[in-house]
Every structure is written in C-alpha cells, then in structure tokens.
Amino acid sequence: MAASPAIFQRRVSHHDTLALACGTTIYPKPCLRIAVAHDAESGPDDSAAALQQHHRDVTSSDPKLQLEAMASLRLIISLDSNSISKFFDLPPMIPLLLRFMTQDASDGLALEASYLLGCLCSGNIYCCGGRMAVVEAGGVDLLMGMVRGLEKEDQTNLTNQAICILGNIACNEKRRQKRDRAKLADLLIEQGLVDVLSAQLSDLTFLRASLPSLQIYIWCLANLIQAATKASLGGKGSKFNPACSESLLRAINPLVACFTAASDEELLIDTTRALADLCIWSSDEVFDVLASQTNIMVPVLVRLLQSFASNHGIVTCCLQIIDGLVGRGADEARITELLQTGLLPLLLHHLASLQVNRRSIFSALQTIVQNSPPRIQLL
C-alpha cells in the first residue's frame, strides 16, 4: 500500500487544495468543498478594495450577494495565506457568520458560512486569530447546540461542518501555546463534545452507513484527545486533565470498535493516533480500561503492521500503541500476549527501515527483554 504523508496532513489533489487553508492543514477530507470557478492564471482578486467589497456584500441584505461573497472569500483564503491578515483587518465578520449558521439551511447561506468559518479555523491561520475569534464570539455554545441536534438528518452537512470547526479549535499545532491548547480542549470536553461524539459512534448503524460523517467524528475526537494533554506530546509528565477522564473513558469502546472494523485509510490514521495518545499520555485509570482490550486490538495491530509501509502514519501510531501497552506497568501477562501473536518479527522488520521513527520500537524492545534471558535469546 502506498505510503502516506505525515500523520496530520492529508494527500489531496490540486482541486482539493482550493478548499484548504494554505500551509499545513488539518481539515478533514469529507468537509472539503470547492469554491466558485476562477481564472487559474490570475487567481482571485485579494486587494484591499476587493476584500472590502466582499465584506459589504456579506453584510448586505441580498442573499445572492452574501452567498457569492462568502464563496469568493473562502477561495481567496484557501489560495493565499497573506490574505488572512487582510481579512482580519476588516470589521469583525465571524459573529455574522455564526449568525448565518443558525438560519434556515435551505437557502445555502448557513452551509456556505460554515465553509468559510471552517477555512478561517483550519491550518496555520490560528496565528491570525480565527479560532480564538470564534471562541470569543460565543461560537462554542452555538456550535455545540448544533452538534447536540444530531437527530436533524436534513442538517447533516451543517452539523459535520460544526464538528470540523470545533475539532480545529481543539487541534494540536506546534505554534499554539500549550496552556491555550489544553484550555480550549478542556472547555470542549467539559461542554460534552466527547460524550456527544462517543454516543453517536456507539451506534453500529452509524458506523456502517455514514463513512464521511464517521471520518469527521473520529478526526475531531482524535484532536480532542491529543490536545487534552497538559503539556506538549513528548514532554515529561504529560497527562490528561483528571476532570475529563470520565468523558475519555466513554470514548474508548467506540474507538476500539472503529479500530477493529475500519478499512478506510483516513479513518485508520485518526483512530490509531487517538488510541496512541490514550496509550501513552492518559491517566492510569483511562489506560487500564484501554489495556483491558489488548486482546481485541493486537490482531488489528499485527494486520496493520503487515499491510503498511514503515513510513506510513498508521505504522507510526501502531508502534506507539505497542510501546504504551508494553511499557506502561510492564505487565508480564500483557507482554506475553503480545509476543504470542507474532508481533516481534514485525517490530524487527520495521526497525530495519530507515523511514520509521525507531524510538517506540527500541522502547518496547527494551521493556520486553528486561530481566528475561529467554526473551533476550528469542530476540
């Protein structure tokens, strides 16, 4: 199977990039939407005068002008990161976009507003204030209200966009302040976002019938789990906010169910990174519940390590899961169970690759052979 780019990046076509914010994006594929056709050579007009005109059109009372202006702004933002700062020089528009999202979805304004807001909250543009502007405008309460209305089937696309925006608010980016990242993730978890997503993911009918929505839910859940650490990943002493443990515990069963049943590559990437973060950084209470399902996860880990190239993001996360299962507590019964599945040859196979991060493999092997001459001989 072909190798994938880094875990948090998506392989997209030229046309897909029109709907992405410039730079490293973490906007999930199912929410990509192509803006209006444009001249590929000249590109859209992002001059101050053009942006001001778009702003006037968005704030007008003409639905057609509003729709066209939002589509044009989204295209400009997607193609040129320099336009972002110009956008935020305009009078505040995010409260207006949030208001559009609460209107009748049949006229297209609500959905187009959600697409533009999604672009403003995705990728590298956090430094321009997109996410915090949504939070400060009361957007979390509004978006959570939409997510809680999951039973409205006619608004599935709009609900998915709301989840994407919330997932980007919680996402983990290197440029973001650690305290801000943890604070925003904790806010969303305390608002019940993990519980809502977990409840929906526990519905087997939903798991089988709605792949685009499933991808978005798992992607958002993975962002929440990753960002819920009190220190950056890799930092000593990283752990989840104990107040969030109950919600995270409820997320384990849906994640494991998706992990065992998923065949879609995007879904596997996000599911494995969520489980990897829970294995390595969660509280002991959360980890113990996850580790109790080792016998369910191991066959899937073996299959994925056999199926994907060493530099694939799924392999990276699988190795982190194994490192966590082996290293935390060094439980002898769990280590024996892992070895009986033929995992050791696979670890050595990926260790031989120059394209894999070997840290997780070395850490797991060190624990496996510690104080065990028979395992040393086996190795």
Side-chain angles (χ1 to χ4, degrees), residues 177-197:
Q177 294 295 322
K178 297 174 185 177
R179 291 180 181 178
D180 288 344
R181 180 172 68 239
K183 183 178 179 181
L184 290 174
D186 288 353
L187 169 66
L188 295 174
I189 293 174
E190 289 165 4
Q191 288 267 355
L193 183 54
V194 169
D195 293 334
V196 172
L197 296 176

Side-chain angles (χ1 to χ4, degrees), residues 27-340:
Y27 206 42
K29 275 184 178 178
C31 280
L32 299 181
R33 180 175 170 85
I34 310 306
V36 293
H38 69 287
D39 184 343
E41 294 183 1
S42 59
D45 184 359
D46 63 349
S47 66
L51 290 174
Q52 289 170 1
Q53 182 59 52
H54 290 320
H55 183 273
R56 284 193 292 270
D57 290 343
V58 171
T59 55
S60 72
S61 57
D62 185 334
K64 182 179 179 181
L65 287 178
Q66 291 171 331
L67 201 61
E68 291 175 352
M70 284 190 287
S72 296
L73 285 170
R74 177 156 55 85
L75 178 60
I76 291 169
I77 291 168
S78 298
L79 294 177
D80 183 7
S81 59
N82 293 327
S83 299
I84 304 300
S85 58
K86 300 175 186 177
F87 180 92
F88 284 100
D89 288 337
L90 298 171
M93 193 184 294
I94 284 179
L96 180 62
L97 297 177
L98 288 168
R99 192 167 78 243
F100 282 150
M101 288 183 68
T102 64
Q103 296 179 356
D104 182 6
S106 61
D107 61 4
L109 281 178
L111 198 55
E112 187 58 51
S114 73
Y115 291 140
L116 177 54
L117 203 56
C119 281
L120 289 169
C121 289
S122 65
N124 286 343
I125 64 175
Y126 174 82
C127 57
C128 297
R131 294 180 178 91
M132 287 307 301
V134 172
V135 174
E136 291 167 359
V140 170
D141 289 338
L142 185 148
L143 294 167
M144 282 299 304
M146 296 176 64
V147 172
R148 291 191 183 99
L150 289 171
E151 69 278 0
K152 300 178 181 178
E153 294 183 3
D154 60 325
Q155 295 190 11
T156 299
N157 289 338
L158 192 59
T159 300
N160 286 347
Q161 284 296 132
I163 293 172
C164 285
I165 296 168
L166 291 169
N168 271 309
I169 289 174
C171 72
N172 175 23
E173 286 194 47
K174 294 179 180 179
R175 287 182 173 85
R176 298 183 60 178
Q177 294 295 322
K178 297 174 185 177
R179 291 180 181 178
D180 288 344
R181 180 172 68 239
K183 183 178 179 181
L184 290 174
D186 288 353
L187 169 66
L188 295 174
I189 293 174
E190 289 165 4
Q191 288 267 355
L193 183 54
V194 169
D195 293 334
V196 172
L197 296 176
S198 299
Q200 188 72 356
L201 289 168
S202 297
D203 183 347
L204 291 178
T205 304
F206 177 81
L207 283 174
R208 294 168 182 164
S210 183
L211 179 60
S213 293
L214 180 58
Q215 288 173 323
I216 293 166
Y217 283 37
I218 291 292
W219 170 85
C220 182
L221 191 56
N223 281 358
L224 284 164
I225 289 172
Q226 184 184 38
T229 54
K230 286 301 182 183
S232 63
L233 292 180
K236 185 177 180 181
S238 297
K239 61 180 181 180
F240 287 103
N241 179 353
C244 299
S245 289
E246 289 188 10
S247 291
L248 296 171
L249 284 168
R250 284 190 283 271
I252 290 175
N253 283 339
L255 280 171
V256 173
C258 185
F259 181 62
T260 57
S263 57
D264 176 73
E265 192 171 323
E266 293 290 319
L267 203 54
L268 283 169
I269 287 175
D270 289 323
T271 306
T272 53
R273 73 179 173 97
L275 291 173
D277 289 334
L278 286 174
C279 272
I280 297 174
W281 304 109
S282 66
S283 65
D284 290 341
E285 178 186 10
V286 173
F287 173 75
D288 288 343
V289 173
L290 180 60
S292 69
Q293 303 202 41
T294 298
N295 63 321
I296 299 175
M297 294 189 291
V298 168
V300 184
L301 290 169
V302 170
R303 173 172 59 82
L304 295 177
L305 290 176
Q306 290 172 336
S307 302
F308 289 91
S310 296
N311 65 339
H312 199 292
I314 291 175
V315 169
T316 301
C317 289
C318 285
L319 294 174
Q320 290 173 341
I321 293 171
I322 293 166
D323 183 19
L325 292 174
V326 169
R328 290 191 65 168
D331 184 275
E332 285 297 314
R334 193 159 60 239
I335 293 174
T336 300
E337 182 178 357
L338 287 165
L339 292 178
Q340 287 174 344

